[in-house]
């Protein structure tokens, strides 16, 4: 019960104290990572490189995000898989997954080098480079690109370090690199007069330092140990980790898509206006870096709230879910409102931090003018932007991947990209003024925010209404409230896996009666609920009612992993007490190291299963077919997530029986098999 007790404080301690405890490290970590992007801009803008230098680095920024997208996908996916391995104590696959993903990260970085180097100028022009900025952009990108392997490995390894139970070490690694970057920027740019190359070298040296610190950690890991065998690629594990990290990849690549389309439009309409091409590109680059600080404050708070939300949602402490949400929402609104006031009241003061607007073809007055317009228009609904992002992570924390993805991508991909193309074109056509396009373009962001905010509010209201209905509904598990483990003699342990409608539960019960041993089905769920503090219905549903879309993401969430760990612990405890029959819950895999385990799989022809479901649940034939498909798909995904094996594969079981031949006959066949072993 020690593990359960260690988690129970999430359902008992004061929420404000919990939020401070978990959010502060997250906020600091994210702010440190944002320093890499913003420090260069400040020093460059205040040097002789001026606005052209800022434009050059702004053009390169989304290209580094492409590398980061792959690294975060591999790292976050591997981190989620490590959590799964920790839950089922699978140390063998843990080290193989880390080694495989390190190799994949390195290979991907080499592929990006092979693509970007030959096509560098073409890519930079595509992302908004002008004749004035192409030289600096190319010089800066050449150095940064050369260190892509280090950059990507550093990001991937940091995620693994956090998952290994060392978030402070991960933060120290990032902080060390950021401090080195900040210290070297003025030395290389001003003292050594290396120009844009100095900014690039300061950045990559900081990355190398972070990489070395993370690399050293891999010799003192807690939950896995790397050997030469670890680095033999396991393609199945790679696929699993990529699925688990897909949401991180989508989020990062959406930033690339936004930057690409936005820069193309800025270049097009900027060139038609008095501002020309470089001023809008540079100003939006500054706006992006400043906005990153604001959004990271919000993301840090909601990420800190994740374990609180996840645990209490799983425990059906909906009152604490509401309290946590309200506290996070209030914090988000305060951050957004303060940022809005600053952006509206003193945009020029913010712009001045990045220089006064200098360089070939740059008019300082036009630079300041467009900067003020950008902060006042583009970010006028930044409070909505923050709330939308918070809503997305809120749903992710509760194992609601569909709502999370909708909240996240609606604003950026569905709304912003089309609007940033349509609004300036309409403005130019309606007014006949070439200058109208570059100003009208700025309204794409608040329009996207407004639309996405409406959807986010609707999703949130519907969710909390569903909580209210759940609170009013009667519990399905009351009959198992007093469940307890029944000690018995040492002997055979029969695990029953079954397809929906095959009557596998009834077969298991008959086997237990014939052998005179205890039978466990829903009792396991009730015992796991007692172990973890989570709700019985929630645990009951994880392997049968998980969402059909984004199942891997759902099964990797913290609260689901808590449920899986508690359930597996109970299954082992039941097995330790002696002979029994256990139905479902991937017990055959959980007890893989136990002697005297008979692994059974129960199936039946399609018509038998459909008729059985119609008889048991009163379904129509069409509904029965759909429910069988849904339930079997969910069970297969659950089994795959914790074992890496294929559910229903005959090679995973000792005996497979056809329940259509008769339930008593199936039970007799299983009993005979156990006696002959």
């Amino acid at each position: 019960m020690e593990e359960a007790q260690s988690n129970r404080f999430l359902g008992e301690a004061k929420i404000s104290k919990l939020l401070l405890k978990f959010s502060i490290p997250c906020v600091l970590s994210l702010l440190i990572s944002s320093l890499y992007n913003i420090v260069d801009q400040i020093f460059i803008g205040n040097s002789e490189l001026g606005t052209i230098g800022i434009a050059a680095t702004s053009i390169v920024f989304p290209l580094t995000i492409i590398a980061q997208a792959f690294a975060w996908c591999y790292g976050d996916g591997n981190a989620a898989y490590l959590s799964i391995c920790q839950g089922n104590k699978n140390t063998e696959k843990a080290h193989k997954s880390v080694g495989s993903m390190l190799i994949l990260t390195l290979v991907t970085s080499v592929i990006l080098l092979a693509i970007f180097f030959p096509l560098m100028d073409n890519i930079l022009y595509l992302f908004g480079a002008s004749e004035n900025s192409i030289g600096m952009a190319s010089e800066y990108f050449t150095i940064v690109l050369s260190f892509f392997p280090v950059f990507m490995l550093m990001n991937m390894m940091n995620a693994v370090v956090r998952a290994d139970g060392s978030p402070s070490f991960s933060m120290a690694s990032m902080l060390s690199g950021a401090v080195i970057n900040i210290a070297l920027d003025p030395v290389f740019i001003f003292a050594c007069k290396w120009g844009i190359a100095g900014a690039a070298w300061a950045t990559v040296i900081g990355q190398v330092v972070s990489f070395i610190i993370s690399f050293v950690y891999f010799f003192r890991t807690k939950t896995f140990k790397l050997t030469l065998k670890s680095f033999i690629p396991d393609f199945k594990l790679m696929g699993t980790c990529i699925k688990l990290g897909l949401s991180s990849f989508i989020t990062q690549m959406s930033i690339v898509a936004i930057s690409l389309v936005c820069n193309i439009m800025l270049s097009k309409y900027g060139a038609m206006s008095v501002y020309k091409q470089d001023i809008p590109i540079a100003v939006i680059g500054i706006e992006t870096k400043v906005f990153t600080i604001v959004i990271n404050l919000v993301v840090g708070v909601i990420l800190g709230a994740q374990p609180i939300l996840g645990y209490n949602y799983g425990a059906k402490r909906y009152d604490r879910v509401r309290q946590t949400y309200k506290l996070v929402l209030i914090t988000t609104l305060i951050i957004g409102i303060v940022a809005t006031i600053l952006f509206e009241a003193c945009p020029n003061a913010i712009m001045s931090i990045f220089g006064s607007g200098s360089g070939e073809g740059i008019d300082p007055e036009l630079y300041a003018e467009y900067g003020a317009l950008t902060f006042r228009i583009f970010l006028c609904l930044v409070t909505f932007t923050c709330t939308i992002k918070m809503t997305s992570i809120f749903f992710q924390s509760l194992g609601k991947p569909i709502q999370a993805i909708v909240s996240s991508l609606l604003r950026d991909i569905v709304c912003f990209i089309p609007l940033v193309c349509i609004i300036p074109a309409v403005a130019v056509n309606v007014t006949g003024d070439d200058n109208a396009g570059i100003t009208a373009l700025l309204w794409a962001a608040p329009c996207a925010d407004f639309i996405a905010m409406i959807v986010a509010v609707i999703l949130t209201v519907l969710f909390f209404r569903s909580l209210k209905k759940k609170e009013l509904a009667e519990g399905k598990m009351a009959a198992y409230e007093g469940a307890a483990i029944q000690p018995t003699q040492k002997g055979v342990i029969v695990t029953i896996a079954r397809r929906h409608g095959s009557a596998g539960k009834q077969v298991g019960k008959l086997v237990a009666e014939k052998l005179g041993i205890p039978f466990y089905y829903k009792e396991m769920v009730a015992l796991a609920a007692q172990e973890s503090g989570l709700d019985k219905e929630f645990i009951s549903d994880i392997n049968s009612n998980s969402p059909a879309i984004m199942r891997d993401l759902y099964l990797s969430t913290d609260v689901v992993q808590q449920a899986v760990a508690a359930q597996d612990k109970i299954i082992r405890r039941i097995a330790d007490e002696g002979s029994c029959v256990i139905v479902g819950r991937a017990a055959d895999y959980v007890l893989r190291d136990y002697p005297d385990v008979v692994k059974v799989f129960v199936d039946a022809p399609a018509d038998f299963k459909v008729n059985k479901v119609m008889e048991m649940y009163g379904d129509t034939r069409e509904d029965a077919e759909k429910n069988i498909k849904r339930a079997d798909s969910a069970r297969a995904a659950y089994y795959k997530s914790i074992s890496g094996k294929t559910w229903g594969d005959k090679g995973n079981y000792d005996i497979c029986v056809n329940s259509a031949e008769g339930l008593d006959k199936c039970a007799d066949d299983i009993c005979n098999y156990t006696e002959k072993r």
Side-chain angles (χ1 to χ4, degrees):
M1 295 291 287
E2 289 180 8
E3 186 177 340
Q5 293 299 330
S6 68
N7 287 329
R8 287 187 189 279
F9 78 100
L10 293 170
E12 297 168 358
K14 190 175 181 180
I15 289 173
S16 57
K17 289 183 178 179
L18 288 173
L19 195 58
L20 281 173
K21 177 182 177 180
F22 289 114
S23 292
I24 289 176
C26 291
V27 170
L28 290 176
S29 181
L30 288 168
L31 289 180
I32 288 166
S33 68
S34 67
L35 286 176
Y36 271 113
N37 299 321
I38 201 167
V39 170
D40 281 350
Q41 302 285 57
I42 293 173
F43 285 114
I44 288 169
N46 286 282
S47 72
E48 60 184 11
L49 301 171
T51 304
I52 301 298
I54 292 177
T57 53
S58 298
I59 291 159
V60 173
F61 174 68
L63 296 171
T64 65
I65 294 296
I66 294 174
Q68 195 174 65
F70 284 102
W72 283 12
C73 174
Y74 302 158
D76 291 349
N78 198 182
Y81 188 74
L82 276 180
S83 297
I84 295 171
C85 290
Q86 290 163 12
N88 58 36
K89 304 187 186 306
N90 193 333
T91 54
E92 178 67 17
K93 287 192 174 180
H95 78 86
K96 282 186 178 180
S97 71
V98 175
S100 295
M101 297 314 288
L102 283 169
I103 293 295
L104 182 59
T105 303
L106 185 61
V107 169
T108 304
S109 69
V110 173
I111 292 172
L112 291 178
L113 289 176
I115 294 171
F116 284 158
F117 264 123
L119 302 173
M120 184 179 296
D121 283 359
N122 291 333
I123 293 172
L124 292 173
Y125 276 123
L126 177 64
F127 276 82
S130 68
E131 293 301 324
N132 289 336
S133 63
I134 186 64
M136 286 189 190
S138 180
E139 186 178 3
Y140 185 85
F141 191 42
T142 298
I143 296 168
V144 171
L145 178 59
S146 300
F147 284 82
F148 261 22
V150 169
F151 174 66
M152 292 179 65
L153 284 169
M154 177 263 291
N155 276 281
M156 183 270 171
M157 292 163 74
N158 259 286
V160 174
V161 171
R162 287 195 300 271
D164 193 47
S166 299
S168 297
F169 194 98
S170 174
M171 187 171 73
S173 168
M174 295 295 293
L175 179 60
S176 300
V179 170
I180 293 293
N181 185 16
I182 293 169
L184 292 181
D185 261 322
V187 174
F188 290 166
I189 295 174
F190 297 108
C192 298
K193 297 189 181 300
W194 290 356
I196 200 77
W201 279 111
T203 297
V204 298
I205 290 173
Q207 292 169 0
V208 168
V209 170
S210 293
F211 166 77
I212 291 172
I213 294 173
S214 297
F215 180 79
V216 169
Y217 178 86
F218 277 69
F219 291 95
R220 44 160 284 185
T221 51
K222 297 178 180 178
T223 61
F224 64 91
K225 184 175 177 61
L226 293 177
T227 64
L228 289 176
K229 185 181 176 182
S230 308
F231 295 96
I232 300 173
D234 187 318
F235 295 105
K236 284 188 177 180
L237 287 181
M238 285 182 181
T240 300
C241 290
I242 289 171
K243 286 180 184 177
L244 293 173
L246 194 59
S247 62
S248 296
F249 182 79
I250 292 171
T251 300
Q252 292 302 105
M253 288 305 291
S254 70
I255 296 173
V256 176
I258 292 165
S259 298
L260 174 59
V261 175
C262 192
N263 282 3
I264 290 172
M265 293 298 106
L266 288 167
S267 297
K268 176 182 177 180
Y269 292 102
M272 296 165 56
S273 72
V274 294
Y275 303 110
K276 304 305 178 188
Q277 185 173 345
D278 293 317
I279 286 178
I281 293 283
V283 168
I284 289 294
I286 292 169
E287 172 274 326
T288 300
K289 304 304 183 296
V290 174
F291 171 71
T292 299
I293 293 176
V294 176
I295 204 70
N296 278 351
L297 289 170
V298 171
V299 170
V301 172
I302 184 63
L303 286 179
Q306 272 191 335
I308 309 167
L309 288 164
Y311 181 88
N312 285 287
Y313 181 68
K316 294 211 167 182
R317 292 294 309 276
Y318 298 143
D319 56 328
R320 290 177 65 83
V321 171
R322 288 192 187 90
Q323 289 175 40
T324 307
Y325 175 80
K326 286 178 182 178
L327 196 55
V328 171
L329 178 61
I330 290 169
T331 306
T332 298
L333 293 175
I334 291 171
I335 293 169
I337 291 168
V338 170
T340 303
I341 292 171
L342 289 174
F343 297 157
E344 296 297 324
C346 47
N348 289 329
I350 297 170
M351 289 290 297
S352 66
I353 298 172
F354 298 86
S356 57
S358 60
E360 185 179 347
I362 302 298
D363 184 330
E365 290 186 6
L366 291 175
Y367 172 79
E369 179 183 293
Y370 195 73
L373 284 172
T374 298
F375 276 90
R376 285 175 174 156
I377 298 175
F378 203 79
L379 296 178
C380 67
L381 291 183
V382 68
T383 305
F384 283 14
T385 318
C386 293
T387 306
I388 293 161
K389 187 65 178 176
M390 181 273 289
T391 302
S392 174
I393 301 175
F394 168 74
F395 282 124
Q396 184 180 333
S397 305
L398 303 179
K400 304 287 183 183
I402 300 171
Q403 291 94 322
I405 293 296
V406 169
S407 301
S408 178
L409 297 187
L410 180 68
R411 188 263 181 196
D412 295 333
I413 302 299
V414 178
C415 295
F416 179 77
I417 289 180
L419 288 172
V420 85
C421 297
I422 295 169
I423 290 177
V426 171
V428 170
N429 288 332
V430 170
T431 64
D433 182 1
D434 288 344
N435 288 309
I438 197 64
T439 303
L441 178 150
L442 300 174
W443 287 101
C447 289
D449 286 329
F450 184 78
I451 296 168
M453 186 64 186
I454 292 173
V455 175
V457 169
I458 292 171
L459 290 174
T460 304
V461 169
L462 290 175
F463 170 75
F464 281 111
R465 281 183 180 175
S466 73
L467 285 193
K468 194 68 178 174
K469 289 179 181 178
K470 286 182 179 181
E471 286 176 322
L472 296 173
E474 291 183 2
K476 296 177 182 178
M477 302 291 296
Y480 301 97
E481 198 67 47
I485 297 175
Q486 305 172 49
T488 184
Q489 75 279 5
K490 295 294 180 183
V492 68
I493 299 168
V494 180
T495 64
I496 306 280
R498 80 283 185 220
R499 294 194 184 276
H500 189 49
S502 65
K505 181 179 72 173
Q506 290 93 323
V507 170
K509 204 163 190 177
L510 286 171
V511 170
E513 290 172 359
K514 290 175 184 289
L515 295 177
I517 57 179
F519 171 78
Y520 295 95
Y521 175 52
K522 288 291 187 183
E523 294 85 354
M524 283 187 302
V525 175
L527 290 164
Q530 295 171 22
E531 171 70 24
S532 64
L534 299 175
D535 183 77
K536 296 182 290 296
E537 278 187 62
F538 178 81
I539 296 176
S540 178
D541 286 349
I542 59 175
N543 77 330
S544 58
N545 292 322
S546 59
I549 301 175
M550 304 296 281
R551 271 204 179 101
D552 290 315
L553 179 58
Y554 167 79
L555 291 169
S556 71
T557 54
D558 289 341
V559 64
V560 171
Q561 285 307 305
Q562 288 178 38
V564 171
Q567 187 173 259
D568 291 357
K569 192 172 182 179
I570 288 298
I571 290 172
R572 293 189 187 95
R573 194 177 293 168
I574 289 170
D576 290 338
E577 290 297 329
S579 185
C580 61
V581 175
I582 302 175
V583 175
R585 305 286 149 176
D588 58 286
Y589 180 77
V590 176
L591 301 178
R592 62 193 179 280
D593 297 327
Y594 279 65
D596 298 324
V597 174
V598 174
K599 296 174 284 187
V600 179
F601 191 83
V602 182
D603 200 355
D607 280 346
F608 177 91
K609 290 184 289 187
V610 169
N611 290 331
K612 201 70 173 176
V613 170
M614 291 168 64
E615 175 190 327
M616 291 174 64
Y617 302 107
D619 288 353
T620 64
R621 175 166 290 275
E622 184 180 357
D623 287 340
E625 290 173 348
K626 287 180 181 178
N627 287 334
I628 289 170
K629 184 177 180 181
R630 175 192 54 76
D632 285 351
S633 178
R635 290 173 185 176
Y638 176 82
Y639 191 80
K640 180 79 172 178
S641 74
I642 70 166
S643 71
K645 295 183 178 183
T646 302
W647 180 76
D649 184 341
K650 293 180 180 179
N652 296 332
Y653 307 95
D654 297 314
I655 178 172
C656 298
V657 296
N658 177 3
S659 57
E661 295 178 358
L663 304 191
D664 270 312
K665 183 180 183 305
C666 286
D668 287 337
D669 289 343
I670 295 168
C671 291
N672 291 336
Y673 180 86
T674 63
E675 291 171 0
K676 292 176 181 177
R677 288 181 85 243

